[in-house]
Amino acid sequence: MQDLSKLLKTLLENDIDFVLIGGFAAVVHGSTLVTQDLDICSTMSVENIEKLRSVLKDLNPVHRMNRKANLSFLDHPKILEGLNNIYLDTDLGILDILSATQPAGDFETIKKNAIDIPLYGFSCKVISIDDLIKVKESMKRPKDLQAVIELKKVRELENK
Amino acid sequence: MNEPKPLENFYKDSDSEKLLNSALKEKLKLSFEMRIESHENARKLVEELSQAGAKQRARSKQAS
C-alpha cells in the first residue's frame, strides 16, 4: 500500500541528508493540491547513495524509468559516481531523488535557503517557498502553474 | 424559460478566489503533520476513484 508519509518518515528516521522539494513540499507549505510522489533533493555522493540503498532495502526500490527491465536500485547502477537523478518506485510510493532543481540551484544552495520544520519528532528541511515558486514557475505545466497560484497566495496570507 | 448560464460563468473569478483563500486559510491552521495527513487521505481517494474508473472502463469494453 502506498504511503508517502511513511516513506518520508523512513528517510527522517534514518538521518538521510535531504531537502523536501516538489509537490509534497508545496503540501507542507499549505497547498491544497494532490501529488502522487515524493521528491527530494540530496547529495549524490557515493556514501549517500549507499546509505539510501541501505535505508530503502526493505521497500523493493526499482528504477521506474525502465520498468520493463525491472532493475533494482539495490544492485543498479554498479558505478555510483556521476549520478544526477534517481527515479524510483518503492513499496511505499514513488521517490525521486534529484541532485539539483533549477532554477533554484544545487543541493547545497537549496539546503542553505531551506526552512526547518518539526515533523514526526525530527527536523525536516523543506525548500523555501520562494525557491519552490521559482522552480514551479519554470516548469510551466498546468499543475505547476496552479501550484504557483496557491503558493503565492500562501505567501501573501503568511505575510499578513 | 431562461437559458442556463455557461459553465465558465458559473463561478465568477472573485468566487473562485474566495474559495481558494478560504481553503488555504484552513490548511494553514493545521500542523505540518495534519497537512500531510489530509493530503494523504485526498491522494488515496483520488487513487481509489481512478482505479474504480479503470475497472468500469474495462467492464464496459468487455461487455461491448
Side-chain angles (χ1 to χ4, degrees), chain A residues 2-15:
Chain A
Q2 293 210 343
D3 188 337
L4 296 178
S5 57
K6 206 169 168 187
L7 186 54
L8 179 58
K9 251 184 250 178
T10 303
L11 299 174
L12 290 169
E13 279 165 0
N14 288 283
D15 200 27

Side-chain angles (χ1 to χ4, degrees), chain B:
Chain B
M1 207 171 112
N2 289 338
E3 284 290 309
K5 281 183 183 176
L7 193 59
E8 61 265 30
N9 293 342
F10 192 78
Y11 285 112
K12 289 180 187 159
D13 278 350
S14 60
D15 289 340
S16 311
E17 201 177 339
K18 272 184 209 159
L19 281 172
L20 178 61
N21 271 348
S22 127
L24 291 175
K25 276 181 190 164
E26 287 306 308
K27 193 65 87 145
L28 290 174
K29 284 182 197 162
L30 301 177
S31 68
F32 295 117
E33 277 101 342
M34 289 300 289
R35 290 178 199 179
I36 290 176
E37 194 183 323
S38 140
H39 170 269
E40 283 299 88
N41 291 337
R43 190 180 61 80
K44 281 167 194 162
L45 185 65
V46 169
E47 214 171 86
E48 279 166 21
L49 288 173
S50 105
Q51 276 170 10
K55 273 185 198 162
Q56 181 66 44
R57 280 192 297 277
R59 270 200 296 265
S60 308
K61 209 173 168 184
Q62 246 177 2
S64 64

